Amino acid sequence: MKEITEKEALLRLSALCAQGEHCQWEMLEKMCRWELDDASQARIMARLVKDRYVDDERYARAFVLDKIRYNKWGARKVEQALWQKHIDEDIRKRVLSEVSDAEYLNVLRPLLKQKQRSVKAQSDYERNQKLIRFALGRGFTFDIIRQCLDVENEDEYLDESV
């Protein structure tokens, strides 16, 4: 690969950030792949942050809303994805706390209704267990799932031996 200069890297990264939201970790990964030295990486990152091309909190807000609305993810899965992108814990918690339970319910209800049509089960209990497992896999919390399912006896779904 051709050697890339600090100025070229800054221009490429600023153009990339102008097209869409990116976090600091993604920019650092690109610079590592381009084999830029640590001092150059620090200068470029400082410039990107100063010029507001990169803002982790703004990125996290956009990421959370996209993943919930379009990918139909729950809070746990979104938080894990933000952790993988090395977003600070305080930013993760602040941004996720801004999303209301109603937003998650609006996403999960139609998802469960659609999934319910394809679930084959012998009883209501078995069907609800499969739906719960599906929703947990999507990253939704048990409280949100319980609000979506019409569960008469909540205790029967809380198996304490597991």
Side-chain angles (χ1 to χ4, degrees), residues 10-159:
L10 178 63
L11 288 173
R12 282 188 190 181
L13 293 176
S14 57
L16 184 68
C17 289
Q19 294 173 354
E21 289 294 337
H22 294 280
C23 64
Q24 289 184 31
W25 182 75
E26 291 173 339
M27 299 296 101
L28 289 171
E29 284 291 301
K30 283 205 176 298
M31 288 188 279
C32 282
R33 275 189 261 133
W34 294 338
E35 299 174 355
L36 285 172
D37 62 278
D38 291 341
S40 295
Q41 288 182 26
R43 285 192 298 272
I44 291 171
M45 187 54 66
R47 180 75 186 271
L48 290 173
V49 170
K50 180 181 146 271
D51 293 345
R52 296 196 33 87
Y53 280 107
V54 174
D55 182 351
D56 279 353
E57 190 164 344
R58 187 179 65 213
Y59 171 80
R61 277 198 177 82
F63 184 86
V64 166
L65 291 176
D66 281 356
K67 294 304 176 188
I68 292 171
R69 290 181 183 155
Y70 302 116
N71 293 35
K72 314 270 191 249
W73 286 5
R76 296 174 108 182
K77 192 167 184 173
V78 172
E79 184 174 18
Q80 185 179 28
L82 288 172
W83 177 81
Q84 288 177 329
K85 298 229 179 235
H86 300 272
I87 302 297
D88 287 337
E89 184 176 357
D90 61 320
I91 293 174
R92 286 194 315 255
K93 294 210 181 298
R94 187 172 44 244
V95 169
L96 284 169
S97 69
E98 293 172 1
V99 180
S100 69
D101 284 355
E103 182 88 28
Y104 293 117
L105 290 170
N106 290 339
V107 168
L108 185 57
R109 277 193 183 113
L111 206 58
L112 287 177
K113 194 170 273 196
Q114 181 182 13
K115 181 69 174 173
Q116 192 171 10
R117 290 188 216 122
S118 66
V119 169
K120 293 178 181 24
Q122 305 280 328
S123 65
D124 286 344
Y125 176 81
E126 186 181 343
R127 179 179 42 81
N128 279 343
Q129 288 298 309
K130 289 181 178 185
L131 291 174
I132 289 169
R133 206 169 16 257
F134 167 76
L136 285 171
R138 284 289 188 132
F140 291 94
T141 61
F142 196 74
D143 295 340
I144 300 292
I145 298 167
R146 189 181 309 143
Q147 289 178 39
C148 288
L149 295 175
D150 296 324
V151 179
E152 293 171 11
N153 184 4
E154 295 171 0
D155 295 335
E156 71 181 340
Y157 296 104
L158 297 174
D159 187 5

